[in-house]
Amino acid sequence: MLVFGESILNDAVSIVLTNTAEGFARDDNSMVTGWETFLQALGYFLKMFFGSAALGTLTGLISAIFLKHFDLRKTPSLEFGMMIIFAYLPYGLAEGIKLSGIMSILFSGIVMSHYTHHNLSPVTQILMQQTLRSVAFMCETCVFAFLGLSIFSFPHKFELSFVIWCIVLVLVGRAVNIFPLSYLLNFFRDHKITPKMMFIMWFSGLRGAIPYALSLHLGLEPIEKRQLIGTTTIIIVLFTILLLGSGTMPLIRIMDNEESQSRRKSKKDINLSKTEKMVKKKILAVIYPSSCRHTQVDRC
């Protein structure tokens, strides 16, 4: 769940950052200093992030209150329809007021899973879960099919040095993001995030359709720049999915084996230390038979 939640939040933040960059690219900031530009970008990012999160949270709470006080359990079809409306509502509202729709959906989904879900009838709960799982599976399949077809459908521009530097910066950026924030979160968590979990989160950070979709919507001129960004994004996506994604489970098994071996070794050391202590007692009892009693061997 940590890996899944981190990846979802990462995609949402990437969309907000891209919208921030595009907004400043459209505006005329020629008379603004670098420090003022940074502050404006930071303010725009915070407005997008917290505004979208607040809108999604508010929508989720409204759905929970609505389904709690309006009994729709006798009409599961109407209850299911209202859930679909409330699920799409934060996205439409956020996009309509120039906020991040995916960020609103993220926080709305968190709130609805904790509160709204328990106000539904058992029939609607099962129906909603199975429907959303099926739709999510079909959408994910279509997205990755489009991603695979795009390799052969669009013109590409490849530069090896640019690709290598982008991959290195992606890995370094994830390390700077995950490790300090995980240590910070451990001060507020009952179940601590172990260094092993942090490393798995860093290693299994898969890039998918969201970065590629963002690269396609960048208004870069000339067209060669857009092709370079798109090609590099596809390579990074394939690198993370094929190499890092396929290596995640073997890495977890290797780390589990090393951890189990270290536990067995420590247990063996404990047993050896007990044996050595017993041998020492017997030797002391033989050397000092008259001055040491059986219960006072350790003192001699």
Side-chain angles (χ1 to χ4, degrees):
M1 288 302 294
L2 283 174
V3 175
F4 176 75
E6 189 272 337
S7 63
I8 293 295
L9 185 61
N10 191 19
D11 289 338
V13 172
S14 65
I15 292 176
V16 175
L17 283 175
T18 304
N19 292 335
T20 303
E22 286 186 330
F24 272 84
R26 289 191 298 265
D27 298 336
D28 185 13
N29 297 318
S30 58
M31 302 300 294
V32 181
T33 62
W35 181 248
E36 292 176 348
T37 302
F38 172 76
L39 292 179
Q40 290 179 4
L42 180 62
Y44 184 80
F45 173 79
L46 294 177
K47 182 188 73 173
M48 289 279 291
F49 186 90
F50 289 105
S52 302
L55 179 61
T57 303
L58 180 62
T59 307
L61 292 176
I62 291 174
S63 67
I65 295 173
F66 177 85
L67 292 173
K68 180 179 180 180
H69 294 284
F70 291 90
D71 190 8
L72 302 178
R73 292 179 175 85
K74 296 180 180 179
T75 54
S77 58
L78 180 59
E79 192 177 31
F80 177 78
M82 292 303 300
M83 279 295 296
I84 296 296
I85 293 174
F86 278 117
Y88 180 76
L89 184 62
Y91 180 85
L93 290 176
E95 293 295 329
I97 58 177
K98 306 300 181 182
L99 294 177
S100 174
I102 190 171
M103 181 69 74
S104 297
I105 284 182
L106 172 64
F107 282 88
S108 177
I110 294 173
V111 174
M112 293 176 72
S113 65
H114 280 81
Y115 301 104
T116 310
H117 177 76
H118 301 288
N119 294 332
L120 299 174
S121 62
V123 175
T124 308
Q125 288 181 359
I126 297 174
L127 179 61
M128 196 71 189
Q129 287 179 347
Q130 298 304 319
T131 302
L132 292 182
R133 286 177 182 175
S134 301
V135 172
F137 173 76
M138 290 187 293
C139 292
E140 188 176 29
T141 303
C142 293
V143 165
F144 280 99
F146 171 76
L147 188 63
L149 292 174
S150 64
I151 300 176
F152 309 99
S153 303
F154 301 104
H156 299 290
K157 182 177 176 58
F158 176 77
E159 289 188 10
L160 181 61
S161 59
F162 185 69
V163 171
I164 293 175
W165 274 110
C166 286
I167 292 176
V168 171
L169 291 176
V170 165
L171 296 177
V172 172
R174 286 190 57 79
V176 174
N177 175 31
I178 289 176
F179 290 102
L181 291 180
S182 298
Y183 280 113
L184 181 63
L185 287 175
N186 281 337
F187 290 103
F188 308 97
R189 289 174 57 95
D190 295 330
H191 301 284
K192 306 299 182 182
I193 303 176
T194 62
K196 172 186 171 182
M197 297 168 63
M198 297 179 193
F199 183 80
I200 294 298
M201 289 171 61
W202 171 79
F203 185 83
S204 61
L206 307 182
R207 306 277 68 79
I210 296 296
Y212 182 65
L214 293 176
S215 68
L216 293 179
H217 286 83
L218 291 177
L220 297 176
E221 295 295 340
I223 192 64
E224 288 78 10
K225 290 184 179 180
R226 190 181 305 176
Q227 293 175 356
L228 177 62
I229 295 296
T231 303
T232 305
T233 305
I234 291 177
I235 294 174
I236 294 175
V237 169
L238 294 177
F239 171 80
T240 56
I241 292 176
L242 298 179
L243 184 62
L244 301 184
S246 60
T248 299
M249 291 306 297
L251 178 64
I252 293 175
R253 285 195 292 267
I254 292 173
M255 296 179 71
D256 288 339
N257 291 334
E258 291 180 353
E259 185 176 356
S260 61
Q261 289 177 1
S262 62
R263 288 178 180 176
R264 287 196 297 266
K265 184 178 179 180
S266 61
K267 186 177 180 180
K268 183 178 179 181
D269 293 340
I270 293 174
N271 294 333
L272 285 176
S273 63
K274 291 181 179 179
T275 304
E276 291 174 354
K277 188 175 181 180
M278 293 176 62
V279 171
K280 182 180 179 181
K281 286 183 178 181
K282 292 182 179 180
I283 293 175
L284 290 175
V286 172
I287 297 176
Y288 306 102
S290 59
S291 60
C292 295
R293 297 182 180 274
H294 182 69
T295 58
Q296 297 177 341
V297 174
D298 291 336
R299 297 181 182 178
C300 296

